[in-house]
Amino acid sequence: MSKWLSIALLVMAATEPAFGHDFDGPGGREGGGRHAHRVLKVFDANGRPVGPLVVVGSQAGVVLTVDGARTFVPIGRSLPDKYWHASRYGWFAGGPAYPTPDCSGPPVIANPPPVFRPSLIDREGASVTLLLATDAPTRAITVRSDSMGKSCRPLTDGHSGPPPYNAAVWSVQTTYPLSTIYPEPLTIHY
């Protein structure tokens, strides 16, 4: 009997919805009821809520709606002065890819998080921009460079770095000024 109870509890835990609730009840409680569970939220530098904290794979973040499309936006610990901060977070940047060896031309989105509309974060110092993919199929290109902020990393066939690679990528539909709308540092609390 305990085996069936364990299986039933596991099924109930696995089917608990991760999204789809209104988390704006009093005290951060789902639905606002006295016995509702509290939900951790992400807040920007001005104390304004960004959204509920969610985890996709092993990456924490929030789900934002940009131009009518829902997208997962990852966050990570901030790194002021080369040391990790215990309770401050920032937008977790990946950086766009390019079919050219010098990061010129329109950027593309390669290897985004696997849920919702593909997107990625491009960071230049304190300025953070979300690049949202088109609502279209991917196209195949050879990625010849990628960037992190103002730093371009050419992908060469030599021994000086990783080689170019073929990837299925999305074109960028729109950019969203993430750090202007939700400035860093971010915090997580009820």
Side-chain angles (χ1 to χ4, degrees):
M1 174 142 177
S2 66
K3 177 181 176 183
W4 291 110
L5 181 59
S6 298
I7 292 172
L9 288 172
L10 181 62
V11 168
M12 287 180 2
T15 58
E16 174 69 23
F19 307 106
H21 295 291
D22 180 15
F23 296 99
D24 293 331
R29 295 180 189 277
E30 177 187 334
R34 179 177 168 190
H35 298 290
H37 64 276
R38 292 172 52 126
V39 175
L40 285 170
K41 293 181 185 178
V42 176
F43 294 84
D44 71 10
N46 298 322
R48 190 173 72 161
V50 178
L53 177 68
V54 296
V55 178
V56 173
S58 61
Q59 181 65 58
V62 295
V63 176
L64 295 179
T65 301
V66 177
D67 284 352
R70 293 176 61 90
T71 189
F72 174 75
V73 185
I75 64 171
R77 291 196 186 279
S78 64
L79 191 62
D81 303 322
K82 299 183 183 183
Y83 294 99
W84 297 104
H85 197 283
S87 61
R88 291 189 180 156
Y89 299 84
W91 299 111
F92 191 76
Y98 297 87
T100 60
D102 60 355
C103 297
S104 63
V108 294
I109 298 171
N111 306 316
V115 294
F116 300 109
R117 178 77 68 88
S119 65
L120 62 80
I121 293 175
D122 190 20
R123 175 183 291 278
E124 275 193 44
S127 176
V128 181
T129 303
L130 180 76
L131 306 177
L132 184 69
T134 58
D135 186 16
T138 58
R139 59 188 171 95
I141 69 162
T142 299
V143 174
R144 300 192 185 285
S145 62
D146 56 28
S147 69
M148 280 287 236
K150 293 182 180 180
S151 174
C152 179
R153 180 179 72 152
L155 304 175
T156 63
D157 289 321
H159 297 288
S160 62
Y165 62 93
N166 294 325
V169 300
W170 284 271
S171 298
V172 175
Q173 171 184 313
T174 191
T175 60
Y176 184 74
L178 203 52
S179 58
T180 302
I181 296 168
Y182 299 113
E184 298 173 303
L186 307 172
T187 56
I188 300 172
H189 54 88
Y190 293 106

